[in-house]
Amino acid sequence: MAELNLILVGPPGAGKGTQAERITEDFNLPYIATGNILRAAVAEGTELGLKAKGFMDAGGLVPDDVIIGVILDRLQAEDAAEGFLLDGFPRTVPQAEALGADLSSLGRQLTAVLLIDVSDDEVIRRLSGRRVSAKTGRVYHVEFDPPKNEGVCDVDGSRLIQRDDDKPETIKNRLAVYHEQTEPLVDFYSNLGLLRRFDGSRPPAEVHDRIRAQIAALRVEGSL
Ligand code: ADP
Ligand code: AMP
């Protein structure tokens, strides 16, 4: 079976984490979410966390030289040998170049880059209502995807919180950073023939169906 080396791209709040939870289960892939790795490092007070915290709180990006090594190391882990789903990395062209160089030095290549597209207005609606379980990482929305019991996770009853960077002022900054620094990846991967675009304004189940069908087709192509 060919490797499935996938990247999720899209503005903050596009639904990457929501879809990742389903796709990793469908295709049994390790989920490597830079934001989750960094938030855990901040919570544990590690050297990485100390370096990252200020940038994250302001809605900016952590410098490339801080994040690239961490993610490339993570991709060397045994569970990622047959494939992976990256969410939140790469977020800049230098990160994408570093990833490409690293994979090719290992004789590996990307299968596809999945772009989930939504408008800025929708991003603001989604991030303002996003709630996450600090324990399980499961994502909810107060209006679009509420938990069964208000304020607690369906999975284990843990408390739901609002991320510090989901406050209105920070959301605007994150969107500006996305347009300036991450959106150039759309052309970058389009030129490499790797980009697959999905309309993220559709309901979660519909976005999922489309992405799953696309990955299944890519896997068949890869094994021919
Ligand atoms: P990202 O990982 O791209 O930042 P999330 O998956 O955390 O985005 O989703 C952001 C918010 O939008 C969450 O509150 C989530 O419940 C909600 N959401 C995700 N996908 C959809 C969708 N297709 N329609 C409506 N709301 C959604
Ligand atoms: P996310 O959970 O993907 O929304 O990421 C939360 C925050 O973590 C971002 O706003 C950035 O500050 C930081 N971050 C996550 N991934 C990266 C990355 N690849 N490069 C730089 N900063 C990142």
Side-chain angles (χ1 to χ4, degrees):
M1 189 65 77
E3 289 176 24
L4 272 182
N5 299 329
L6 301 169
I7 296 177
L8 275 171
V9 180
K16 300 182 297 294
T18 301
Q19 295 303 324
E21 193 180 317
R22 302 163 187 229
I23 301 166
T24 48
E25 206 179 303
D26 295 335
F27 297 98
N28 195 24
L29 295 170
Y31 175 42
I32 303 173
T34 344
N36 291 351
I37 292 172
L38 290 171
R39 277 185 292 279
V42 170
E44 286 163 25
T46 64
E47 198 185 327
L48 172 65
L50 293 175
K51 283 186 191 155
K53 188 176 184 325
F55 299 102
M56 295 174 75
D57 287 346
L61 293 184
V62 174
D64 287 340
D65 62 335
V66 172
I67 194 73
I68 288 174
V70 174
I71 300 304
L72 299 187
D73 279 353
R74 174 65 187 87
L75 290 177
Q76 304 269 2
E78 208 181 305
D79 68 341
E82 300 297 319
F84 53 78
L85 181 66
L86 266 174
D87 170 0
F89 185 94
R91 241 179 170 100
T92 63
V93 170
Q95 290 181 16
E97 288 169 345
L99 174 65
D102 188 66
L103 288 176
S104 61
S105 76
L106 299 167
R108 303 177 68 174
Q109 56 188 11
L110 288 172
T111 311
V113 176
L114 314 167
L115 168 67
I116 307 185
D117 228 357
V118 297
S119 68
D120 287 6
D121 284 348
E122 183 66 15
V123 164
I124 291 165
R125 269 195 294 278
R126 289 189 186 179
L127 292 187
S128 332
R130 172 159 69 182
R131 299 292 181 270
V132 289
S133 156
K135 217 164 138 207
T136 66
R138 173 84 166 71
V139 183
Y140 299 86
H141 192 283
V142 289
E143 192 184 332
F144 308 136
D145 185 14
K148 291 193 182 81
N149 297 303
E150 199 185 322
V152 294
C153 180
D154 294 348
V155 180
D156 67 350
S158 58
R159 200 167 55 85
L160 301 185
I161 56 161
Q162 181 171 35
R163 274 170 50 174
D164 284 340
D165 60 353
D166 281 347
K167 307 278 156 67
E169 271 323 294
T170 320
I171 294 175
K172 287 202 186 113
N173 198 25
R174 288 163 69 204
L175 260 174
V177 166
Y178 174 76
H179 290 305
E180 270 165 38
Q181 300 195 52
T182 306
E183 217 166 19
L185 293 180
V186 172
D187 278 347
F188 180 93
Y189 284 122
S190 201
N191 291 336
L192 293 174
L194 289 170
L195 196 82
R196 303 288 183 278
R197 197 182 280 265
F198 300 89
D199 178 359
S201 70
R202 311 300 304 162
E206 193 178 319
V207 180
H208 173 226
D209 284 346
R210 292 183 185 209
I211 296 179
R212 187 181 46 197
Q214 174 72 83
I215 299 174
L218 287 166
R219 191 152 72 165
V220 171
E221 274 170 34
S223 58
L224 290 179

